[in-house]
Amino acid sequence: MGCTRVCVQLCVYVAFVAAIVAVDQDTSECLGPLTYYKDLGCTPIYDDEDNCPKRFNCNHIKQRSRDKCYINGRTYNPNQFLNSKDSNVCDVSCICKLSLSKNQIAAFHCVDHFKCTEIEVKDSCYIRQNPTTCCKNLTEICPVRMEDIPVCDVNGHMYRDGEYFVVNEEPDLICICQPEYKGKNIPPFCIKPKHSPCLHPAFSHNDYFRRNCAPVFNDHAEKNTCYKTMLCHVPDDVVIPSRLPFIMDNYAKNIIIHMIFLFSDMCIFGNLLMQIGDRLQPFSEYINCVDCICEVPPVLTCVYIPRDNCSSKISFS
């Protein structure tokens, strides 16, 4: 009976949802866990009055096989190597591998994936890097005078040799200031990665999306950058509702989730359905506090907050 009531509520609700699907609009300044949605290949859905997505359609992920790898819209079978069209400079000998654990998914295994050798730098020196070579040929530079360090003028902001910079018009580029930079954002100064350099889902056996987990960012101003970890539901998580929250049992969950991802302006975290504006008080062992809110369904937006700004009710030790 409870399930029927909720299903009817959702069906009536979605009958009034008018949405526009678009894929080419710039969403870099919008709310929501945008990097994660992009990594998953979700489709932004807009209404008629806003340039930012009201939600994302990620329903295609539910149809994926657990025994294959997926990246950039392409499918890889077990023991198939990652194609150069889909690999970044640091993706060395990546191959799709099945998981040995139940309920996990296939993922790419790479040689020294995302690992670079740390170099001890002398005082008054710095490391010159090249974004096209993945930590190779790192050069330690020890200028006699600070004014000897080459600089790059990017959008009116000055960067020194070896510093990363962001191009406002092309935020996806990975750029490092180097000598002879003349304002052209091309190799060897800049490269456009073939996939997100973040904790891309294709490189993890953890089935975070089907478990309805959420990425955790450093702060609200950096939700277009890499997320630092994934937060998953545990029984002691607490919803702080803006309105009456939904709590599903397993029977209702299987019936409703498909409708949520297709039609509803609601977030789902584990077995919790949350309306826009609802917050989550996670129970966790994270050192820092975590603040989560339903902004752009279906995935929560979660950020770390400094301990000195964190309420004792949501701090973790």
Side-chain angles (χ1 to χ4, degrees), residues 62-73:
K62 300 291 183 179
Q63 313 305 320
R64 288 179 173 178
S65 168
R66 295 179 181 272
D67 297 331
K68 295 184 179 182
C69 298
Y70 299 86
I71 191 169
N72 294 345

Side-chain angles (χ1 to χ4, degrees), residues 209-268:
F209 188 80
R210 284 190 180 94
R211 291 169 58 194
N212 304 315
C213 304
V216 183
F217 296 84
N218 265 344
D219 60 49
H220 282 285
E222 297 183 357
K223 294 194 301 298
N224 290 309
T225 62
C226 291
Y227 39 97
K228 301 304 179 182
T229 188
M230 297 294 297
L231 182 70
C232 297
H233 173 59
V234 295
D236 291 323
D237 288 339
V238 176
V239 173
I240 305 174
S242 58
R243 290 168 286 179
L244 182 65
F246 291 107
I247 299 179
M248 299 183 294
D249 57 26
N250 290 333
Y251 177 77
K253 177 180 177 181
N254 293 331
I255 297 176
I256 298 174
I257 284 180
H258 184 71
M259 296 177 62
I260 294 298
F261 284 116
L262 279 179
F263 305 112
S264 180
D265 291 342
M266 300 182 74
C267 295
I268 181 168

Side-chain angles (χ1 to χ4, degrees), residues 79-202:
N79 299 320
Q80 186 175 357
F81 281 94
L82 184 65
N83 192 289
S84 59
K85 295 179 180 179
D86 298 321
S87 60
N88 290 342
V89 294
C90 288
D91 296 336
V92 181
S93 300
C94 300
I95 186 170
C96 179
K97 288 290 186 180
L98 296 174
S99 173
L100 299 178
S101 300
K102 186 179 179 180
N103 296 326
Q104 290 197 326
I105 57 176
F108 289 105
H109 289 200
C110 305
V111 176
D112 294 329
H113 187 55
F114 294 139
K115 294 183 179 179
C116 297
T117 302
E118 293 186 4
I119 298 178
E120 186 174 345
V121 182
K122 302 183 186 73
D123 292 341
S124 302
C125 300
Y126 64 93
I127 295 296
R128 176 178 294 161
Q129 304 180 69
N130 186 324
T132 67
T133 59
C134 187
C135 311
K136 296 179 181 179
N137 304 319
L138 299 180
T139 305
E140 184 180 39
I141 308 295
C142 299
V144 177
R145 301 175 303 171
M146 289 292 291
E147 52 265 33
D148 293 335
I149 301 176
V151 296
C152 303
D153 185 346
V154 182
N155 299 321
H157 187 89
M158 305 306 293
Y159 295 85
R160 292 178 178 174
D161 184 17
E163 291 183 336
Y164 285 88
F165 64 84
V166 176
V167 180
N168 291 341
E169 299 79 12
E170 298 179 272
D172 289 340
L173 292 179
I174 297 176
C175 301
I176 299 178
C177 178
Q178 301 175 70
E180 306 302 323
Y181 175 77
K182 304 296 183 183
K184 294 185 177 181
N185 303 310
I186 58 175
F189 310 102
C190 298
I191 60 169
K192 186 171 184 177
K194 303 295 180 59
H195 64 79
S196 165
C198 303
L199 302 173
H200 197 288

